[in-house]
Amino acid sequence: MADRAYFDWNATAPLRPESRAAVLAALSHVGNASSVHADGRAARRLVEDARASVAALVGADARNVVFTASGTEANNLALTPSIAVGSQKTCDRLIVSAIEHPSVRAGHRFPADRVEELPVTAAGVIDLAALRAQMARGARPLVSVMLANNETGVVQPIHEVAEIVHEAGGLLHVDAVQAVGRIECDINDLGADLLTLSSHKIGGPQGAGALVVRDAALHIAEPLIRGGGQERGQRAGTENVAAIAGVGAAAKAARQALSTETPRMAALRERVERGLRATMPEVVIFGEESRRLPNTTLFAVPGLKAETAIIAFDLEGVSVSSGAACSSGKVAASHVLAAMDVEPRFAAGAVRVSLGWDTQEGDLERLQNAWIKVSASLLKQRGIAA
Ligand code: PLP
């Protein structure tokens, strides 16, 4: 059995071997992708091959992929009043769902009084009736709804969201960071106008991402990073060729494996949840009644404290997280569970188990053995408290 079992794929996934090889090969290559000589052209080829692979993974046209330094940056780039179709600026208000990642909730460039929040149901799904009502009120908005939530894994009805948004003349941005490579994600089928993805969630290197647009006429009139014509003027700065080559290779591998990985992950996740309940029948799984990503379980039991549980799992060699783990490494209150109206006594104990293409039977055994110990100590505590 491996030294540790890794169940924190929604935080970051292991580098795929194909991606590692592509990064290393690109690092050995000299050449600025903007240079006209043969070395520059070879670097450009790496970037454009990667662009084609990323585009293929989400059913987009390669020329509509803008590489960024993260999913966070892609969200920041997308969420601006300066979105334009041709020469026409389009949106002067923003509607974001209550369960978006902080890079959407706080990363936009709209004035605070032009931003509205879209509620979700107790099942963690966007409230479509509320969206309809919000669309009818006021000017054409940009709407941002994630394809799958990073904490619960709940998959949002993006197709329906797109219909509502487009009927009212708005634009739709979809943060697909957690969904890409785990479920089918085609920008045209979804009806998204803009789509964000992140390299390190699909098995590429950390520190790379992309903003994808459906229609070449749509662009950001005031990009975040200016000063060069790279990425068709949408993101200045010499391209990180190695990281881009890595994300391209990861995208290609993820696309090839999607049809086998999705059901395999779902079967493993099913076993994880059976194991959790076999040991403690009162386990609550958030968003269970909704469609979820095949790799994610967010669960709690009354009395379980997330911070304590994560440390206890860690001591058993198992990496899990609190769904609400924030970038400072501390466990913060979950805005997602709050939006779902989850009682604080459950929300404070939410533990996220997320898996992926490299998760093996032995990892599951290790997780289950650790859970038996964690739950035994919880029962003991309850006995002392009683
Ligand atoms: N959006 C979602 C839903 C995420 O889960 C994350 C990262 O966890 C991001 C955006 C940010 O991506 P990155 O880590 O590439 O900045």
Side-chain angles (χ1 to χ4, degrees):
M1 200 184 282
D3 274 358
R4 294 188 58 87
Y6 187 74
F7 285 97
D8 200 10
W9 287 64
N10 287 12
T12 197
L15 196 61
R16 289 181 188 264
E18 298 88 341
S19 181
R20 179 190 302 273
V23 170
L24 290 175
L27 283 172
S28 315
H29 180 83
V30 64
N32 182 320
S34 299
S35 298
V36 293
H37 49 64
D39 292 316
R41 291 199 308 276
R44 169 61 50 202
R45 239 183 338 269
L46 292 178
V47 170
E48 296 315 321
D49 285 353
R51 200 184 306 281
S53 299
V54 167
L57 183 60
V58 295
D61 193 326
R63 74 200 158 121
N64 295 342
V65 173
V66 176
F67 285 117
T68 60
S70 60
T72 296
E73 186 193 317
N75 283 341
N76 277 252
L77 176 63
L79 299 178
T80 170
S82 83
I83 283 196
V85 177
S87 59
Q88 191 128 37
K89 294 223 184 136
T90 53
C91 302
D92 55 8
R93 66 180 175 128
L94 174 69
I95 299 176
V96 293
S97 92
I99 57 168
E100 294 302 308
H101 186 265
S103 57
V104 166
R105 279 157 61 89
H108 58 78
R109 289 183 273 163
F110 285 79
D113 63 349
R114 308 299 296 166
V115 183
E116 297 158 49
E117 195 170 84
L118 175 64
V120 297
T121 66
V125 181
I126 298 308
D127 183 337
L128 293 175
L131 175 62
R132 263 188 213 99
Q134 272 173 275
M135 293 302 298
R137 255 184 265 132
R140 279 154 50 111
L142 172 61
V143 177
S144 185
V145 176
M146 64 204 332
L147 179 49
N149 183 260
N150 44 305
E151 296 185 26
T152 60
V154 170
V155 175
Q156 302 301 324
I158 295 297
H159 193 73
E160 284 93 321
V161 169
E163 274 179 6
I164 295 169
V165 170
H166 291 151
E167 231 166 70
L171 289 175
L172 176 64
H173 166 256
V174 171
D175 176 348
V177 162
Q178 293 291 347
V180 171
R182 293 178 180 148
I183 56 173
E184 281 292 344
C185 177
D186 181 296
I187 194 167
N188 292 295
D189 292 349
L190 291 170
D193 298 294
L194 303 113
L195 181 145
T196 291
L197 61 89
S198 171
S199 163
H200 69 115
K201 313 289 186 181
I202 63 169
Q206 296 177 349
L211 180 65
V212 184
V213 299
R214 188 155 53 100
D215 177 349
L218 197 152
H219 65 285
I220 310 295
E222 286 161 33
L224 264 184
I225 303 179
R226 285 169 271 190
Q230 293 91 348
E231 298 298 297
R232 293 173 51 241
Q234 295 288 275
R235 205 277 183 181
T238 301
E239 294 89 343
N240 183 346
V241 176
I244 289 172
V247 66
K252 198 168 175 186
R255 182 162 177 249
Q256 277 164 357
L258 190 64
S259 61
T260 50
E261 273 175 20
T262 305
R264 194 187 85 91
M265 285 192 285
L268 291 175
R269 198 268 303 271
E270 165 76 27
R271 279 184 46 199
V272 166
E273 294 186 350
R274 247 186 287 128
L276 292 173
R277 284 200 162 119
T279 311
M280 279 208 135
E282 71 258 53
V283 160
V284 171
I285 295 172
F286 300 107
E288 190 178 17
E289 60 276 51
S290 307
R291 182 182 170 211
R292 285 181 296 153
L293 288 178
N295 79 319
T296 307
T297 299
L298 184 69
F299 76 97
V301 284
L304 185 72
K305 292 251 180 316
E307 235 153 12
T308 318
I310 291 162
I311 294 167
F313 273 109
D314 191 31
L315 291 172
E316 295 300 321
V318 177
S319 298
V320 294
S321 75
S322 145
C326 72
S327 44
S328 65
K330 292 198 189 112
V331 176
S334 163
H335 69 280
V336 175
L337 295 181
M340 290 165 67
D341 259 341
V342 171
E343 284 178 53
R345 75 192 171 106
F346 280 107
V351 172
R352 183 182 67 191
V353 173
S354 53
L355 47 84
W357 54 268
D358 198 31
T359 305
Q360 305 297 330
E361 301 279 323
D363 299 318
L364 257 59
E365 240 171 77
R366 196 154 190 158
L367 175 74
Q368 180 61 18
N369 289 338
W371 173 236
I372 289 169
K373 289 193 184 164
V374 172
S375 51
S377 84
L378 178 63
L379 288 174
K380 204 160 134 199
Q381 265 174 40
R382 281 187 191 161
I384 293 166

